[in-house]
Amino acid sequence: MQENITLLQYFKRYFKRCITGPWSLMCGLSVSLKYFFDPRRIVTEQYPENRKTLRMHPRYRGRLEMIEDADGNNHCTACGMCERACPNASINVLSTKNIAGKKVLGRYVYHFASCTQCGLCVEACPFGAIRMNQDFEVATTDPNTLEMILNKKEGQG
Amino acid sequence: MIQPRFSNLPPGFRIQRETNTEEFFINMGPQHPSTHGALRLALRMDGETIVELVPHFGYIHRGMEKQAESMSYLQYIALSDRQDYLTAIQNNLGVVIALEKGMNVGVPEKGEYIRVMLQELGRIASHLVFYGCFGGDLGGQTCLLFGFKEREMIHDILEEVTGSRLTTNFFRPGGSRYDVPDTFIPRVKAFLDHLEDAMRDYERFLSKNIIVLERSIGIGVLSKEDAIAYGCSGPVLRASGVEFDVRRANPYSIYDQFDFDIPVFHNGDCYDRYKIRIAEIHESMKILRQCIDKFPKDGPWRSKEKPVRLPVGRYYSEIETAKGLYATYVVAATTGEKPYRIHTRGPSFPHIAALNKMVQGHKVSDLVTIMATLDPVIPEIDR
């Protein structure tokens, strides 16, 4: 920006800034030093060491899982609402028929690789059969483990 | 041009006395750290001075508006997180308000308070990223950590409430997905007390710093007329002296019930764009404190849940995100779950369009400062 000032004004400003400039830098450094020496201001978490105690919040959206009791029974009726709600086709609900001829859940196939953890499937489920767990360490070296079948028992209900 | 400075060089090293300057082109980006994403800037240079700048978009174009045509409305709310990832919770609200106009549902009082509080937390988080990036782009990496330290606390709160740090996917027509947990209000209160102290430190750290002053005052001036002509909004527009804020001009949610100021600065240079964001953090804190005082203890947080089906029509909503005006236009051609077309008007695109006006005559290092103060998010431009 072009300014019209006299030479005297220019030098006045120049010398003023020679004083205020270093002073402002010292002010900034004092803040840095305050944060450097005060142990209360440390916010870093020692991540791999605190793995035992690190817990996610109950609402955290991790991997999808099926709510099952000890015998492996679930509430899923293979209605396919979750499959419809999923924006990126991460869920395939494969239904089958039981001996009585009723439609039941065969395999609940979940493609974790394409899942964005939006949670729309959990919201869409009318029976409360699925939930998102608090698992956050989901990296893997084997891509085959990303395709999973969520129900343990086939053709129940 | 005669260069007398080099006349005392030995004869073998003598530089030609007569030199012609020639314009040349350089590319900045698409992977330059200060372009805030995959953005390529083609610069026409005269020496170190920028003559003209042409931005090239589209490196991360995902076709969100086209995708939306084959998605249900609920799925599009999840997709709107991925536009401007720094203000994801505000994008959610922008989409949801348009859907609510179509479905003709209201929001209970507690639901509105939850909305306003999360909006303001998101605004503070976005401005703190700006604080960090502004300092970082000027060369002070300490700022980057300072800004992200408090932002981390906001994301902790958001994670507890919504289940995710960035891609919140929280608001639904008629309210929100969950009620807030009991710990929400005490946590926000504790955070505000902490931020009050922290902001004092941060302003002391950067606002009077001579390097920041020298590099930002008078740099990248955007005049009032240009700012309006290019369609700028948000802090960039208000730093140029236009008092326009959707929260005041066209109040959505319950913003008309709160007492807050709209900071306006008049120079339109980089320093004003920095100062206005700091001032807005303080205003957001003011709104949050009023919310805490008036927060309804009980009562419904969501109106009766209905399937999201819109009747035939066109629905428009506009909200003020941290970056500026975010508008959603929904066209429903058939009554049903899927839109015919959804268009989004994002705030960052006009800012980058006005960049050419701001950088002319400045140096490349000033361009970095100007880019930082515009605070663009490229995924939101490309969509």
Side-chain angles (χ1 to χ4, degrees):
Chain A
M1 218 164 29
Q2 294 292 321
E3 290 171 272
N4 293 319
I5 49 171
T6 61
L7 207 62
L8 188 69
Q9 279 173 321
Y10 179 81
F11 277 111
K12 234 179 184 173
R13 198 171 68 182
Y14 179 82
F15 285 115
K16 200 183 155 200
R17 282 187 190 178
C18 283
I19 309 296
T20 57
W23 176 249
S24 71
L25 294 180
M26 297 308 278
C27 280
L29 274 178
S30 73
V31 175
S32 287
L33 287 175
K34 194 163 108 187
Y35 279 77
F36 187 72
F37 284 112
D38 193 345
R40 284 170 306 163
R41 292 175 197 273
I42 296 174
V43 289
T44 326
E45 284 187 24
Q46 302 298 319
Y47 165 57
E49 285 81 19
N50 69 355
R51 245 170 144 171
K52 292 252 164 29
T53 54
L54 192 62
R55 288 282 171 276
M56 286 290 130
H57 300 294
R59 285 178 189 176
Y60 178 76
R61 299 201 291 268
R63 194 167 35 206
L64 188 69
E65 67 179 14
M66 194 155 265
I67 303 169
E68 290 185 324
D69 60 13
D71 300 332
N73 299 316
N74 54 47
H75 295 294
C76 184
T77 59
C79 63
M81 292 298 279
C82 45
E83 197 176 337
R84 274 184 48 149
C86 184
N88 34 31
S90 304
I91 298 171
N92 287 334
V93 182
L94 306 175
S95 61
T96 180
K97 287 208 167 118
N98 65 1
I99 307 162
K102 201 179 148 204
K103 186 181 161 194
V104 289
L105 177 66
R107 283 183 181 175
Y108 195 100
V109 186
Y110 173 49
H111 311 280
F112 188 45
S114 63
C115 178
T116 56
Q117 285 133 330
C118 62
L120 287 173
C121 47
V122 179
E123 210 180 330
C125 184
F127 303 102
I130 45 178
R131 68 168 172 229
M132 297 217 129
N133 65 8
Q134 275 70 49
D135 204 354
F136 62 95
E137 292 171 327
V138 290
T140 175
T141 51
D142 182 11
N144 294 325
T145 58
L146 295 173
E147 303 274 315
M148 45 190 106
I149 295 166
L150 295 187
N151 56 329
K152 289 195 197 77
K153 216 158 76 173
E154 278 185 32
Q156 53 138 358
Chain B
M1 197 191 289
I2 296 167
Q3 295 178 323
R5 278 192 298 155
F6 298 116
S7 55
N8 56 353
L9 286 170
F13 290 95
R14 176 138 315 159
I15 292 172
Q16 266 190 332
R17 276 171 177 266
E18 299 279 329
T19 53
N20 297 321
T21 58
E22 216 174 78
E23 288 184 347
F24 63 101
F25 291 89
I26 60 168
N27 262 319
M28 206 170 144
Q31 292 299 339
H32 195 274
S34 81
T35 54
H36 295 255
L39 168 71
R40 182 159 75 93
L41 300 172
L43 307 175
R44 190 148 67 89
M45 309 278 298
D46 180 10
E48 215 193 333
T49 312
I50 299 169
V51 181
E52 195 189 357
L53 176 146
V54 180
H56 290 262
F57 301 120
Y59 283 90
I60 39 170
H61 179 66
R62 291 156 289 175
M64 279 193 181
E65 290 175 7
K66 189 69 190 167
Q67 279 185 54
E69 291 169 18
S70 58
M71 280 183 159
S72 71
Y73 294 113
L74 273 180
Q75 289 171 350
Y76 185 71
I77 299 174
L79 193 61
S80 72
D81 291 334
R82 273 92 183 162
Q83 292 179 353
D84 185 349
Y85 45 79
L86 294 179
T87 58
I89 195 128
Q90 297 173 330
N91 298 351
N92 284 172
L93 187 68
V95 177
V96 163
I97 286 178
L99 298 184
E100 275 169 2
K101 281 182 184 166
M103 289 169 66
N104 203 9
V105 291
V107 185
E109 196 194 0
K110 193 177 178 186
E112 294 278 26
Y113 272 96
I114 293 171
R115 284 187 175 187
V116 170
M117 288 186 80
L118 292 180
Q119 290 289 295
E120 295 309 316
L121 282 175
R123 195 183 311 277
I124 293 175
S126 176
H127 284 337
L128 283 172
V129 174
F130 162 78
Y131 174 88
C133 290
F134 179 64
D137 283 352
L138 289 181
Q141 296 295 327
T142 323
C143 295
L144 198 66
L145 295 179
F146 278 171
F148 274 63
K149 190 162 73 71
E150 263 64 41
R151 175 175 176 263
E152 196 63 27
M153 295 176 178
I154 294 178
H155 281 313
D156 259 1
I157 296 173
L158 283 183
E159 191 178 16
E160 195 184 9
V161 176
T162 70
S164 185
R165 288 157 43 85
L166 276 177
T167 52
T168 49
N169 188 12
F170 187 60
F171 297 124
R172 294 284 178 272
S176 51
R177 188 167 166 181
Y178 307 113
D179 193 4
V180 287
D182 297 335
T183 50
F184 177 62
I185 295 292
R187 277 189 83 160
V188 174
K189 209 182 275 182
F191 168 71
L192 287 179
D193 293 340
H194 173 87
L195 187 67
E196 200 102 16
D197 279 351
M199 284 313 292
R200 209 172 297 131
D201 278 352
Y202 295 171
E203 280 177 66
R204 191 158 174 240
F205 188 75
L206 207 59
S207 293
K208 292 280 186 294
N209 190 311
I210 188 79
I211 301 169
V212 172
L213 295 182
E214 291 286 318
R215 286 194 62 182
S216 63
I217 289 181
I219 302 292
V221 178
L222 184 68
S223 68
K224 193 173 175 175
E225 292 74 26
D226 282 340
I228 295 171
Y230 276 98
C232 297
S233 56
V236 177
L237 182 68
R238 291 194 286 275
S240 293
V242 185
E243 190 177 349
F244 175 76
D245 189 317
V246 186
R247 288 177 291 172
R248 183 61 53 80
N250 185 9
Y252 55 95
S253 197
I254 46 167
Y255 272 110
D256 45 356
Q257 297 179 12
F258 296 105
D259 169 38
F260 62 99
D261 300 328
I262 293 165
V264 178
F265 288 79
H266 294 278
N267 293 332
D269 58 0
C270 287
Y271 190 63
D272 274 9
R273 288 196 282 272
Y274 161 74
K275 286 292 274 185
I276 199 156
R277 287 188 170 96
I278 298 292
E280 278 190 15
I281 291 179
H282 288 290
E283 292 305 317
S284 290
M285 283 159 70
K286 219 155 104 184
I287 296 176
L288 278 170
R289 286 204 191 281
Q290 291 172 39
C291 279
I292 290 172
D293 291 341
K294 291 198 265 181
F295 195 77
K297 288 259 172 355
D298 40 9
W301 45 274
R302 178 174 188 167
S303 64
K304 195 169 172 295
E305 208 167 326
K306 283 200 286 188
V308 185
R309 293 170 71 84
L310 264 68
V312 177
R314 291 153 186 244
Y315 312 103
Y316 177 76
S317 76
E318 56 181 31
I319 61 162
E320 179 85 18
T321 69
K323 308 279 193 300
L325 193 153
Y326 178 91
T328 312
Y329 185 58
V330 180
V331 181
T334 51
T335 305
E337 286 186 336
K338 286 183 180 172
Y340 176 74
R341 172 105 165 87
I342 290 185
H343 177 68
T344 305
R345 185 255 188 235
S348 294
F349 180 75
H351 296 168
I352 296 294
L355 191 58
N356 183 27
K357 206 82 181 174
M358 289 184 235
V359 295
Q360 280 173 8
H362 290 300
K363 306 278 189 281
V364 176
S365 59
D366 296 334
L367 169 62
V368 175
T369 318
I370 296 167
M371 277 290 290
T373 55
L374 289 181
D375 200 15
V377 171
I378 308 302
E380 190 256 291
I381 297 174
D382 286 345
R383 285 199 281 281

